[in-house]
Amino acid sequence: MELLQSKDLPGKGSFSHGIHPPDNKSLSRDAAIEVVPTPKRVVLPLLQNIGVPSKSIVQPKKQVVAGEAIGVGEAFISTNLHSPINGVVENTGVCTLPNGRHLPAIYIKAEGEQLSGQALYEDVLGGPWPKDCPAIYYPSTISKAIHEAGIVGLGGAAFPTHVKVRPDDTKMIDTLMINGCECEPYLTNDYRVMLEAPGAIIAGALHGARAVSAREIIIGVEDNKPAAIERLKKEAEGTVIKIAVLKTKYPQGSEKQLIKAVLGLEVPLGGLPSDVGVAMSNVGTMAAIARGVIREKPLTHRVITVTGRGVSNPKNLLVPIGLSMQDAIDYCGGLTKDAARIIAGGPMMGFAFSNLSMPVTKGTSGITVLTHDDVRKENETSCVRCGRCVDVCPMQLVPTKLAMASRHGNLSLAHQYNIMACFECGCCTYVCPAHIKLVQLIRMGKAMVVASRK
């Protein structure tokens, strides 16, 4: 399949550096999205986004219905939170997320009848998605609807979408770029949404572009997903939306690398896509925008992948936010006897965890379970100065310098080598022959830098 497939797009369909890890997507790629039955209980952390936690507006013993607001995002970078089920608020407490953060949470016990099965699927992803209605909305109306629906970026970053997709007279947005690359190995949830609900993605993209007054809409998809590319192209017929076919390469879905691959533009170091006239979001987020704006339904469910050779039956699931990791894994037949490591997300950027009572959040793209054969324990040795980490870093940083500065608490050196520009893709750790946990050290250094600013 020819890269880009449009003479109007100046990029070359790829970016410099990066790696080619085995994608292992065949484990779940052909598994159609299944709807998980309503669990007995959901746990909803008040912080489900980058930024400030939402404020609880419910008390214990309060009856709630699916879609009812239970938390309000009062700060600019914050989001609303809604109950995904009918039930009663049991209590408020604290839960722990895979990244180690302890957060206040609302516990809701299921009660009464629940929307389930095919009816729930149709409510979230199914049915018609009109393409001709964005013009009836003011841009500010769309942004307000997205805010009220509590939508965040579903690619994993969980940045509040209403902040990205809002009218802004100070920065003109020319292009809405939509990430359909799903370059993280193992995960196939975005792929299945592109295959099964392309209408929702296209409708959401048209509304998102209307919100930021973007002239151009481009969906970037890696060339290892030909069926998704064809579905999106067919659904986009008659619209201004273009489909850019990109080289399969990790981390192609990173916003700076995707912009370079498609538009040939360099986002400045420390800058944002808006600095080059681009707003960036994910295909799943577009489907959530369509549901939030057209159907006026909040973000209460999402599609995740439960996969890896450590899971009995890898699947793609439509789950309520707040479902426990245990319930999701049990629905897939449980863990295999040789399961060794459970990761929230994919193996490159995810977090390993062991407490299966942790909840799925808005930012959970999947659960990957690796076996003992997958996880080879290699002892760390001294850096051999091979330079492979530099060769693969998509941000053209010097990972060894950053890691050693972090290990020794040298924040001045870490600043000098632009530690905050690292987005923790894990390419450096993947190729390091000395088995130094470079990205983990850099992550620690970034936390020290943030703490030093307070």
Side-chain angles (χ1 to χ4, degrees):
M1 185 171 288
E2 186 179 353
L3 295 183
L4 283 179
Q5 292 195 330
S6 173
K7 295 179 180 178
D8 300 331
L9 301 175
K12 297 181 179 178
S14 189
F15 61 95
S16 61
H17 299 193
I19 58 176
H20 297 272
D23 68 22
N24 290 300
K25 292 181 184 290
S26 61
L27 293 169
S28 58
R29 181 174 51 210
D30 297 327
I33 297 169
E34 296 183 28
V35 180
V36 171
T38 302
K40 294 179 180 178
R41 177 179 290 102
V42 291
V43 178
L44 297 147
L46 287 170
L47 182 58
Q48 303 243 358
N49 55 268
I50 287 179
V52 179
S54 57
K55 178 183 176 183
S56 173
I57 56 173
V58 293
Q59 298 296 323
K61 299 183 180 179
K62 176 177 171 44
Q63 295 282 341
V64 294
V65 298
E68 179 177 337
I70 58 174
V72 176
E74 296 181 320
F76 177 57
I77 301 182
S78 184
T79 56
N80 296 336
L81 184 62
H82 305 79
S83 175
I85 61 174
N86 298 323
V88 59
V89 177
E90 287 189 314
N91 54 43
T92 55
V94 174
C95 74
T96 304
L97 297 186
N99 62 7
R101 294 193 67 174
H102 304 291
L103 298 169
I106 299 171
Y107 292 67
I108 298 177
K109 179 183 177 183
E111 279 191 2
E113 294 186 0
Q114 310 285 343
L115 193 63
S116 61
Q118 188 62 28
L120 178 58
Y121 181 91
E122 291 297 319
D123 184 71
V124 178
L125 293 172
W129 295 98
K131 307 172 194 172
D132 57 352
C133 62
I136 70 174
Y137 297 102
Y138 290 112
S140 58
T141 304
I142 297 173
S143 184
K144 182 181 178 184
I146 293 170
H147 188 194
E148 291 178 348
I151 298 172
V152 305
L154 300 184
F159 191 85
T161 302
H162 70 275
V163 179
K164 277 189 176 182
V165 183
R166 68 187 177 92
D168 186 349
D169 293 335
T170 63
K171 287 187 176 181
M172 302 304 293
I173 299 298
D174 186 64
T175 303
L176 175 63
M177 180 76 71
I178 300 164
N179 176 18
C181 291
E182 197 168 52
C183 59
E184 179 79 48
Y186 286 92
L187 301 183
T188 55
N189 52 301
D190 280 351
Y191 172 71
R192 292 308 310 186
V193 173
M194 288 188 281
L195 210 59
E196 299 183 46
I201 295 171
I202 297 300
L206 292 168
H207 285 81
R210 171 73 175 164
V212 295
S213 302
R215 176 184 60 86
E216 190 171 46
I217 307 171
I218 305 170
I219 304 176
V221 189
E222 287 186 327
D223 60 2
N224 64 347
K225 305 175 184 67
I229 291 166
E230 292 307 314
R231 290 301 307 274
L232 289 171
K233 287 173 65 177
K234 184 176 181 181
E235 194 67 35
E237 287 178 357
T239 75
V240 298
I241 296 175
K242 298 174 183 175
I243 313 300
V245 181
L246 307 172
K247 184 177 181 180
T248 299
K249 187 178 181 183
Y250 182 84
Q252 188 72 265
S254 169
E255 58 185 18
K256 292 182 174 62
Q257 282 62 45
L258 185 53
I259 290 171
K260 177 67 176 178
V262 176
L263 298 174
L265 298 174
E266 295 273 3
V267 178
L269 198 65
L272 298 169
S274 57
D275 294 330
V276 292
V278 178
M280 174 75 74
S281 197
N282 154 278
V283 286
T285 314
M286 292 299 111
I289 288 177
R291 186 170 184 254
V293 177
I294 298 173
R295 298 181 180 175
E296 300 181 353
K297 298 285 185 71
L299 178 62
T300 54
H301 293 71
R302 68 157 298 156
V303 178
I304 67 170
T305 304
V306 182
T307 185
R309 279 172 279 273
V311 174
S312 296
N313 299 301
K315 296 176 184 289
N316 297 290
L317 307 176
L318 179 64
V319 304
I321 308 298
L323 180 82
S324 74
M325 302 286 192
Q326 181 77 65
D327 285 344
I329 291 172
D330 286 349
Y331 185 82
C332 296
L335 301 175
T336 61
K337 291 182 179 178
D338 57 346
R341 182 179 296 170
I342 308 172
I343 300 168
M348 297 302 294
M349 295 190 73
F351 290 88
F353 67 98
S354 57
N355 180 358
L356 292 178
S357 68
M358 292 178 180
V360 170
T361 67
K362 294 178 181 180
T364 304
S365 53
I367 303 169
T368 305
V369 185
L370 304 179
T371 65
H372 289 287
D373 285 341
D374 296 324
V375 183
R376 291 176 298 172
K377 293 186 177 179
E378 304 281 1
N379 293 325
E380 179 180 321
T381 63
S382 298
C383 174
V384 295
R385 306 288 195 272
C386 64
R388 291 186 190 178
C389 59
V390 179
D391 291 340
V392 299
C393 178
M395 293 302 294
Q396 303 185 35
L397 303 174
V398 186
T400 46
K401 290 285 187 184
L402 297 174
M404 294 308 108
S406 301
R407 174 171 280 174
H408 298 291
N410 190 339
L411 299 188
S412 175
L413 186 63
H415 274 299
Q416 182 183 340
Y417 281 87
N418 295 307
I419 191 169
M420 299 309 289
C422 171
F423 62 93
E424 305 169 20
C425 66
C427 288
C428 53
T429 301
Y430 182 82
V431 301
C432 179
H435 310 296
I436 301 172
K437 305 300 183 187
L438 295 166
V439 74
Q440 287 87 339
L441 289 168
I442 294 171
R443 188 177 288 157
M444 180 181 73
K446 291 171 69 176
M448 289 190 291
V449 170
V450 172
S452 70
R453 292 172 177 171
K454 296 180 179 177

